[in-house]
Amino acid sequence: HSDHQAPESTIFADGKPSLGDNCARLGKESEEGNVEYKRQLLDPSPERFEQLVSQLKYRLQEGLGEAVYEIGREDDGTPRGLSELELDASLETLSR
């Protein structure tokens, strides 16, 4: 079980965003742990997709089966947000 609690602004892989008011800048993404920040996940090349799969497996291992993806955030924790189309495409990539 991970000690990390997903912030209210997290968009979960099941496609159901949590629309809380927490859009503040988070700390810089850690190389360790189960949390991954992604600006967006739009139509990755096959090579990039394999990198993303490897990264997801690592985050799942770190989180003992749980990974939290903060979509719409830079690696430094700055919120950038997504358009509805970018969100849909990013969620599609996560569900592949």
Side-chain angles (χ1 to χ4, degrees):
H1 176 72
S2 171
D3 290 334
H4 177 81
Q5 293 295 319
E8 290 179 36
S9 60
T10 299
I11 298 172
F12 295 94
D14 66 4
K16 296 179 182 173
S18 174
L19 301 174
D21 293 330
N22 186 0
C23 289
R25 181 175 175 171
L26 299 177
K28 182 179 177 190
E29 177 185 75
S30 174
E31 294 295 319
E32 298 177 359
N34 70 331
V35 179
E36 183 69 37
Y37 298 167
K38 290 292 177 207
R39 169 67 181 92
Q40 56 194 11
L41 295 167
L42 305 179
D43 196 26
S45 68
E47 296 81 20
R48 178 65 179 141
F49 186 76
E50 288 304 315
Q51 291 173 339
L52 293 169
V53 168
S54 177
Q55 194 173 57
L56 174 59
K57 288 178 181 178
Y58 172 76
R59 295 297 186 182
L60 286 168
Q61 181 181 8
E62 287 287 295
L64 303 175
E66 176 183 271
V68 177
Y69 271 65
E70 288 281 344
I71 308 296
R73 288 207 184 261
E74 302 291 342
D75 286 345
D76 68 359
T78 303
R80 296 293 180 206
L82 296 167
S83 71
E84 191 170 338
L85 290 175
E86 290 170 325
L87 172 60
D88 290 343
S90 294
L91 292 174
E92 175 66 27
T93 297
L94 280 173
S95 69
R96 284 176 36 189

